[in-house]
Amino acid sequence: VTGDLIDSSVRDNLKGRVNSAFDRVLEFLLSLCERLKIDPAVALSVVPGNHDFRLKGIYVPRWIFESSVYYDAFYERFGKFYKSKLLPSLSCCVFAFDSNTADLDLNFASGRINENDILEFSNTLKSMESEHRHELFSCSKIVLLHHHPMPIAATELNASFIDSDKYHLLKNAGLFMTEMVRHKVNLILHGH
């Protein structure tokens, strides 16, 4: 699941319904796993979207609107599903990235992958290669993040100012994509 789990509307923020929305999403995902006979502890992966942390998807500093940052609420419910995992029975290895950022500049829905997270990804992959070389060799490497790692074709953009492509991309997409190619990632799935 690559976010947005919730919309975090102004109305929900003012009425404090964000926590109950997260609870309903978690309940839905767990019931879906049960119906599909999937062990969520093993095979469910969840990364946060910008709406999961921000008011209407737009970063608002905590001092302006106290409930606009839901970092703890998201991770309390979904933190155990936000981790890298080797799944040899599914012939894949999944890596999760949080692409949300709280930049001080005007930040609509854009994101950034923290350079420490890229380094951690590289170290995790090296560790997997040394400990599970055979299993990893036969697995597809799948990366999950929320923000678009590449631009959307201009022909698909009939968007308003805030919905335009530049506000949905990773600010350091070049670095991120270079590292994904270098590590031979097979598939990148994103939200928005």
Side-chain angles (χ1 to χ4, degrees):
V1 179
T2 56
D4 296 307
L5 301 176
I6 63 173
D7 185 37
S8 68
S9 68
V10 173
R11 185 180 58 145
D12 285 344
N13 278 273
L14 294 174
K15 295 190 177 185
R17 297 188 297 200
V18 170
N19 286 330
S20 64
F22 276 139
D23 290 338
R24 288 191 307 275
V25 170
L26 179 58
E27 183 180 311
F28 169 76
L29 290 175
L30 294 176
S31 70
L32 184 62
C33 287
E34 184 178 332
R35 284 193 308 253
L36 296 172
K37 296 180 178 29
I38 295 171
D39 181 356
V42 174
L44 179 62
S45 294
V46 181
V47 297
N50 58 307
H51 285 260
D52 303 326
F53 285 151
R54 307 173 185 174
L55 174 63
K56 301 261 329 142
I58 299 171
Y59 176 69
V60 179
R62 182 168 276 189
W63 59 270
I64 292 176
F65 195 53
E66 184 62 33
S67 64
S68 68
V69 181
Y70 297 106
Y71 185 86
D72 294 337
F74 174 86
Y75 280 103
E76 284 171 6
R77 289 156 182 86
F78 302 101
K80 63 186 170 190
F81 306 114
Y82 173 76
K83 59 186 172 184
S84 297
K85 32 183 128 174
L86 178 60
L87 303 166
S89 63
L90 298 174
S91 298
C92 69
C93 185
V94 177
F95 298 93
F97 284 92
D98 180 353
S99 57
N100 290 286
T101 179
D103 294 340
L104 296 177
D105 60 340
L106 186 61
N107 185 330
F108 288 102
S110 61
R112 173 179 283 123
I113 300 294
N114 184 307
E115 289 180 21
N116 289 333
D117 292 343
I118 293 174
L119 182 59
E120 183 180 327
F121 159 75
S122 182
N123 291 336
T124 300
L125 193 53
K126 284 178 189 173
S127 175
M128 286 180 179
E129 285 171 350
S130 67
E131 295 173 22
H132 306 283
R133 187 166 193 75
H134 179 70
E135 293 95 335
L136 191 61
F137 181 73
S138 62
C139 286
S140 295
K141 295 179 203 142
I142 301 171
V143 167
L144 306 177
L145 73 156
H146 180 65
H147 292 84
H148 301 216
M150 298 180 70
I152 299 169
T155 57
E156 296 177 15
L157 279 179
N158 293 325
S160 68
F161 172 72
I162 298 177
D163 292 327
S164 70
D165 187 32
K166 67 181 178 179
Y167 293 115
H168 293 109
L169 287 171
L170 290 174
K171 290 184 177 183
N172 60 344
L175 171 65
F176 175 76
M177 292 300 289
T178 298
E179 288 300 304
M180 297 305 104
V181 169
R182 186 169 75 82
H183 290 292
K184 298 181 170 91
V185 168
N186 301 96
L187 182 64
I188 298 173
L189 301 173
H190 67 83
H192 258 316

